[in-house]
Amino acid sequence: MNYFNLKKNKALLFVLFLSTFSALAQEKAKPVFKDGEAQIVPLFDTPDKWIRHDLWVETTFDTDGDGKPDRMHVSVTRPFQTETEGLKLPIIYETSPYYAGTAGTAPGTFWDVKHEVGEKPPVARIHPTVKRTGTRPIISNSLIREWVKRGFIIVHSESPGTGLSQGSPTVGGINESLAPKAVIEWLSGKDNGYTTPDGNEKVKAYWSTGSVGMTGTSYNGTLPVAAATTGVEGLKAIIPVAPNTSYYHYYRSNGLIRNPGGYLGEDVDVLYDYIHSGAEDKRAYSDKTIRDGEMAKGMDRVTGDYNDFWAGRDYLNAIKPMKAALLMSHGFNDWNVMPEHSYRIYKAAEAKGLPVQIYYHQGGHGGPPPLKMMNRWFTRYLFGIENGVEKEPKAWIVREKDASSNPTPYADYPNPDASDVKLYLGAGGMAQGKLLTTQPTKQTPEKLIDDVSFSGSDLAKAEKSDHRLLYISPVLKEAVHLSGLAQVTVKLASSKPAANFSVWLVALPWSEGTGVKLMDNVITRGWADPQNNKSLSKSAPLTPGKFYDLKFNLQPDDQIIPAGKQIALMIFSSDKEFTLWPKPGTEITIDLNGTTLTLPVVGGANALEKAIK
């Protein structure tokens, strides 16, 4: 090669280098997908360059009484390329009443539970106030670190009457559904965004594709369900984690006054006070109108009946317009927001023909699905990537010894291979009666005496007790897999016009010591008010000594009871952790001939017979 050609080739190489460099310099950030999941994009993973700002979205309601539509405080976190390159991206949205702080739980802020069933609480409770916290423009940092780098914009908003959002909290009222709807409509192009809470300067979501997904845990998981029941067009998918889908089911159980586990004496008005962090000058109006008006009139801590107040706070009643794809997540041992909350919405959404999956783990409150599941769900329904999630198994259950990141897939929940097996009671429940697969001949009724000073675990461990009746299966020679809803049908009489009625399904012998979990002992539980034996919405005093038929489901479960254990039904009256605390002495009599336990056994009667014989 002569000098001239060498020089010419170098010039060409230099030109090629410049053009390549220019192309790289002009490279635009865009989402990347692999195996059906949104991948981390280095150009998005620049937290110091993320754009963070806040605004207010106007709603269609006025719940603080000022004559103007309430506006919700909203914050946005997005990659800088949505500003510099005109990039539009989908949204993952979380809304909450908790972001601006909550009230304390000092003595007296909860209802006094030490009184007879069917009587008014003896002492009025104290109403705490919330000291608002938080600094603009950041409402929350949840979700941001994981999802912005994958090409999603993160949006947060504060619920009505909390933080810098206007309006009043209603704890399940319609405004808590319409508030996120308004935000989603703004994200989908509606001209209802403002730079200030009271001004007229508009702001648009020009960086949004209009495709929105929602997630959150507990109350934050309830609100995606609330938003979905409005049928708002932009909401494509939701991943609720341990959502409260009915405030009646949260604070009542089959007509009984029953608090969530760990919050003895909590009720809907207590939660109202706990979250009411909105503008101080609007709180008096909201307290009078919502807490001391609507709630005081409708919540009914005397009968526990289901009424219009509770029906309006039950999202199952409003599910007809729902269009969003649903990935539900819950723990089978969540005794705060119990697993029925997810089950009832999942089954209703499935019946509607919506894309659904459910992830159940064996832990307590909270616990989202594995990141991979969430990523695939949001990638499919927000980006529109055909990754096949809608063709995958519907149920993903974390087995007892497995990590939460390693669920076992099943065709559906309950397990399609499960069928109901009816068991009968054999005499001797004061010590250890029997659970039988065949019905005994006529037996004498058995009696227990209510005494709330004994906890459920104390009663289950006792070899003999006047305060509970216990009926036990033979020792399991093989493991038994339960999946679905256990049901109790009981014929009972009470010595008083009103009484608590509690049932635990337990695995015996009771395990104690290091490493033992609640699920190792308590399979599932249920509670009911015998006064509601004919109607959930109308209770009637019991005639002492008269027998009544009562039927109800226990909480959903999917658990493998290992060989060597015994399945036991424990019947008692007041449950120290969950019910009112009446004075000891109420007698509950059980007619064994009219009482049965139905278990959802994978493999049905043959599997259970094989395990116990």
Side-chain angles (χ1 to χ4, degrees), residues 177-221:
S177 299
L178 296 177
K181 178 188 179 187
V183 175
I184 293 165
E185 288 174 330
W186 175 71
L187 290 167
S188 302
K190 186 175 179 179
D191 190 23
N192 60 334
Y194 295 85
T195 58
T196 61
D198 298 302
N200 296 317
E201 184 182 352
K202 296 288 188 73
V203 57
K204 291 184 179 293
Y206 52 85
W207 29 259
S208 167
T209 62
S211 292
V212 181
M214 293 186 72
T215 191
T217 298
S218 198
Y219 208 141
N220 300 15

Side-chain angles (χ1 to χ4, degrees), residues 165-380:
S165 283
Q166 298 171 344
S168 173
T170 56
V171 191
I174 187 62
N175 69 330
E176 292 189 359
S177 299
L178 296 177
K181 178 188 179 187
V183 175
I184 293 165
E185 288 174 330
W186 175 71
L187 290 167
S188 302
K190 186 175 179 179
D191 190 23
N192 60 334
Y194 295 85
T195 58
T196 61
D198 298 302
N200 296 317
E201 184 182 352
K202 296 288 188 73
V203 57
K204 291 184 179 293
Y206 52 85
W207 29 259
S208 167
T209 62
S211 292
V212 181
M214 293 186 72
T215 191
T217 298
S218 198
Y219 208 141
N220 300 15
T222 298
L223 296 172
V225 177
T229 62
T230 69
V232 60
E233 290 293 337
L235 185 58
K236 307 301 184 183
I238 60 173
I239 307 179
V241 181
N244 176 349
T245 64
S246 164
Y247 283 91
Y248 184 84
H249 286 76
Y250 190 59
Y251 292 117
R252 307 287 183 268
S253 188
N254 300 299
L256 196 69
I257 306 291
R258 192 264 302 141
N259 59 261
Y263 300 93
L264 198 62
E266 186 184 328
D267 213 320
V268 64
D269 61 333
V270 178
L271 185 52
Y272 168 94
D273 281 339
Y274 186 71
I275 65 174
H276 195 187
S277 60
E280 289 79 1
D281 63 340
K282 299 290 181 66
R283 293 187 190 182
Y285 173 88
S286 297
D287 291 348
K288 179 181 178 180
T289 306
I290 305 300
R291 185 192 67 198
D292 304 332
E294 181 182 344
M295 289 180 175
K297 182 180 179 181
M299 59 189 278
D300 183 8
R301 279 191 68 83
V302 177
T303 72
D305 290 350
Y306 189 75
N307 55 27
D308 289 343
F309 172 84
W310 294 114
R313 286 165 166 78
D314 187 336
Y315 294 110
L316 189 61
N317 295 335
I319 200 169
K320 186 177 179 180
M322 179 173 166
K323 301 190 211 45
L326 171 68
L327 168 55
M328 187 68 85
S329 179
H330 218 121
F332 281 124
N333 292 281
D334 185 349
W335 300 109
N336 176 0
V337 182
M338 299 187 190
E340 67 178 333
H341 285 271
S342 289
Y343 175 80
R344 57 206 300 275
I345 296 296
Y346 168 75
K347 298 309 287 186
E350 182 181 42
K352 281 173 60 65
L354 296 175
V356 293
Q357 283 187 341
I358 193 162
Y359 166 85
Y360 269 125
H361 58 84
Q362 303 292 339
H365 189 50
L371 177 63
K372 181 182 182 69
M373 287 186 72
M374 297 182 70
N375 193 334
R376 288 175 61 77
W377 203 254
F378 282 144
T379 295
R380 171 68 181 86

Side-chain angles (χ1 to χ4, degrees), residues 553-612:
N553 293 328
L554 307 187
Q555 289 296 315
D557 194 34
D558 193 297
Q559 191 168 335
I560 298 173
I561 314 304
K565 286 284 191 176
Q566 294 172 280
I567 298 172
L569 174 70
M570 183 171 73
I571 298 172
F572 59 122
S573 182
S574 298
D575 189 330
K576 190 173 185 178
E577 298 173 77
F578 295 94
T579 69
L580 299 177
W581 289 16
K583 291 180 179 179
T586 302
E587 295 182 351
I588 302 290
T589 304
I590 303 297
D591 181 348
L592 301 186
N593 306 305
T595 301
T596 59
L597 167 68
T598 301
L599 294 180
V601 182
V602 175
N606 290 339
L608 185 62
E609 290 278 0
K610 187 180 177 184
I612 63 177

Side-chain angles (χ1 to χ4, degrees), residues 51 104 123 153-154 172 233 305 361 384 492 496 500 568:
I51 297 169
V123 179
I153 293 169
I154 301 301
E233 290 293 337
D305 290 350
H361 58 84
L492 62 82
K496 291 184 179 180
N500 292 316

Side-chain angles (χ1 to χ4, degrees), residues 58 108-109 131 176 180 187 243 381 412 424 434 458 464 484 560 575 607:
E58 190 165 278
T109 58
K131 183 177 181 181
E176 292 189 359
L187 290 167
Y381 294 107
D412 203 353
Y424 304 90
K434 295 180 180 180
D458 289 339
K464 185 175 181 181
I560 298 173
D575 189 330

Side-chain angles (χ1 to χ4, degrees), residues 11 23 34 48 61 70 89 131 148 155 184 278 354 361 436 448 462 551 565 612:
K34 182 181 178 182
D48 57 325
F61 54 82
D70 298 335
L89 295 171
K131 183 177 181 181
V148 176
V155 169
I184 293 165
L354 296 175
H361 58 84
L436 306 166
L448 65 91
K551 180 188 288 188
K565 286 284 191 176
I612 63 177

